[in-house]
Amino acid sequence: MAEGVDTPTAILAHAAAALREHPFDDISYRTLGDAVGVSERTVYRHFPTRSHLLEGLAGWIEATEFPFPPFVTMGQFQDAARARFHAFDASPAFAFVCARAATISPTGEAEPTFFTRALVAMLATNHPSLNERDLRRVAAALRYFASAPFWARMRTGFDMSAAEMEDVFDHTVAQVLGDRWRASETEMGASRRDGR
């Protein structure tokens, strides 16, 4: 095992590397232990079930392969989501693992992710007229439509490319935010014209 890398991170890194050649279900705990230089039992201690491993691997992939760049405006959020669709297209095995992990029950304490908190903060700042209930609804919709499960559904169910998904995503943003979106688009257009 490499110096300075903790065992769970090394296990996840080797699992991600194995995904380039094998489906997730074909990656064994024994193989991961051998690759990292620990026993199979050690792998089980860190990831007691396949669900734990899948959830951990998806989190590691999201952080290393598909990080969501910082955003403070709806336009920046949309640009980041569009770029993510193209990243998913470039690494579909990783994207499908993230999508699959999102469909299982959480194995640990379910706490809002950094991405969710950033999305809620951006909406609260840019659309202060949203009440708490609507803020959560809009954030949930936007989060889903910028996610690996949405990408996977569009890819497998409708054979869409990233470019086609961008259109669906943009239309969804307009529908979810309604008049608020049109107002922010007008402001963004004015900012672009003024060179801000």
Side-chain angles (χ1 to χ4, degrees), residues 107-181:
T107 57
E109 291 294 317
E111 161 183 326
T113 64
F114 176 78
F115 173 61
T116 300
R117 291 190 307 268
L119 184 56
V120 168
M122 184 264 305
L123 288 168
T125 301
N126 292 303
H127 303 287
S129 63
L130 285 172
N131 62 42
E132 184 65 28
R133 184 194 68 187
D134 289 343
L135 178 69
R136 292 170 56 94
R137 287 178 177 177
V138 170
L142 294 179
R143 189 184 192 316
Y144 173 74
F145 284 99
S147 71
F150 169 73
W151 172 87
R153 176 61 54 214
M154 296 300 102
R155 176 92 182 252
T156 60
F158 298 97
D159 196 29
M160 286 187 179
S161 68
E164 292 168 315
M165 287 177 220
E166 289 176 8
D167 290 339
V168 174
F169 176 73
D170 288 341
H171 181 73
T172 301
V173 169
Q175 291 297 310
V176 168
L177 286 176
D179 292 335
R180 291 175 197 91
W181 182 78

Side-chain angles (χ1 to χ4, degrees), residues 3-101:
E3 282 291 317
V5 176
D6 63 276
T7 301
T9 300
I11 292 167
L12 296 174
H14 283 283
L19 274 178
R20 297 190 187 283
E21 297 177 24
H22 307 285
F24 174 77
D25 291 331
D26 291 348
I27 300 170
S28 73
Y29 277 41
R30 174 170 284 158
T31 302
L32 290 175
D34 291 345
V36 175
V38 298
S39 70
E40 182 178 7
R41 185 178 190 162
T42 299
V43 178
Y44 273 105
R45 191 175 34 192
H46 291 290
F47 303 100
T49 68
R50 298 288 291 178
S51 293
H52 285 91
L53 180 60
L54 178 63
E55 188 175 47
L57 180 57
W60 188 87
I61 289 170
E62 289 271 353
T64 60
E65 300 293 322
F66 308 129
F68 215 92
F71 57 90
V72 293
T73 67
M74 185 54 66
Q76 290 171 339
F77 170 72
Q78 287 178 268
D79 289 344
R82 290 183 198 108
R84 207 163 191 228
F85 295 147
H86 290 280
F88 290 156
D89 270 3
S91 298
F94 284 173
F96 279 116
V97 163
C98 294
R100 181 176 170 188

